[in-house]
Amino acid sequence: MDKKLLAILVCPVCKGPLVYDKPKAELICKVDRLAYPIRDDIPVMLEEEARRLPADEEV
């Protein structure tokens, strides 16, 4: 994942910062508890494609 791209990407829902989870290939929004997938090195920044994080999963 390109560090320059990570620096400018924000959550499309709340416009907050995202955290890169390399092992899961996801960008995490801690505020909305959403995990956006990264497919073929391209972040999929659509709310419909995001995985909701369960309350017991650490972010």
Side-chain angles (χ1 to χ4, degrees):
M1 189 73 212
D2 183 15
K3 292 184 190 279
K4 289 180 184 178
L5 180 61
L6 277 175
I8 61 171
L9 284 177
V10 295
C11 175
V13 176
C14 71
K15 309 300 184 243
L18 297 168
V19 177
Y20 179 42
D21 184 342
K22 188 174 184 175
K24 292 183 180 177
E26 294 178 325
L27 294 172
I28 309 290
C29 176
K30 292 182 177 184
V31 174
D32 294 315
R33 300 197 57 80
L34 293 172
Y36 296 95
I38 300 171
R39 298 185 187 127
D40 298 321
D41 290 329
I42 301 170
V44 181
M45 304 303 295
L46 300 171
E47 186 178 2
E48 319 63 73
E49 293 289 322
R51 177 175 69 89
R52 294 229 171 257
L53 298 174
D56 62 343
E57 186 173 336
E58 269 188 55
V59 289

